[in-house]
Amino acid sequence: MPSPPLAPIDSPLDFDHLSRMTLGDAELEQEVLAMFAEQAVRLIAAMAALPTDAGALAHKLKGSARGIGAFAVADAAASLETAIRIGHNQPHAFAALKEAVAEVRAAIETILKH
């Protein structure tokens, strides 16, 4: 199921959602974003060769992404899960997920520098 925000956003992160999930604690937001960025790198690397557990790894990334408001990553991970399940177009879905993760990681890096 897609996870679009209620209003269009210019950022790959929905900051209102992130704030709700962290109860407005800015320090916790920073910690959660850093943890997500690290986890995303590990999961993308683990999925690179589309191993047999790639669907489970994509599912894990989808849940984490929804938790921080990275809905484009969550949707791309869901698309990869579907592609793996039906056995069609996995490389394209993985490339889209990598791109979405790169965008959100760039946004997180900018936030964490401030």
Side-chain angles (χ1 to χ4, degrees):
M1 176 186 324
S3 309
L6 295 176
I9 53 174
D10 292 334
S11 170
L13 288 166
D14 181 333
F15 294 104
D16 290 336
H17 179 80
L18 177 62
S19 182
R20 283 191 306 274
M21 296 302 286
T22 57
L23 304 174
D25 183 331
E27 188 175 310
L28 180 58
E29 284 180 19
Q30 301 253 328
E31 186 177 329
V32 167
L33 289 174
M35 287 172 33
F36 176 81
E38 290 172 17
Q39 178 193 45
V41 167
R42 285 192 314 272
L43 291 174
I44 289 293
M47 286 186 274
L50 293 172
T52 56
D53 65 343
L57 297 172
H59 185 79
K60 184 175 190 173
L61 183 55
K62 177 178 71 177
S64 295
R66 283 184 178 157
I68 67 160
F71 295 119
V73 172
D75 291 346
S79 293
L80 178 57
E81 277 186 288
T82 299
I84 290 167
R85 187 175 60 251
I86 65 174
H88 180 69
N89 217 9
Q90 296 101 320
H92 181 289
F94 180 68
L97 177 57
K98 277 180 53 175
E99 183 176 326
V101 166
E103 288 177 12
V104 82
R105 285 192 67 241
I108 289 170
E109 189 175 310
T110 299
I111 292 164
L112 295 180
K113 285 182 180 177
H114 288 89

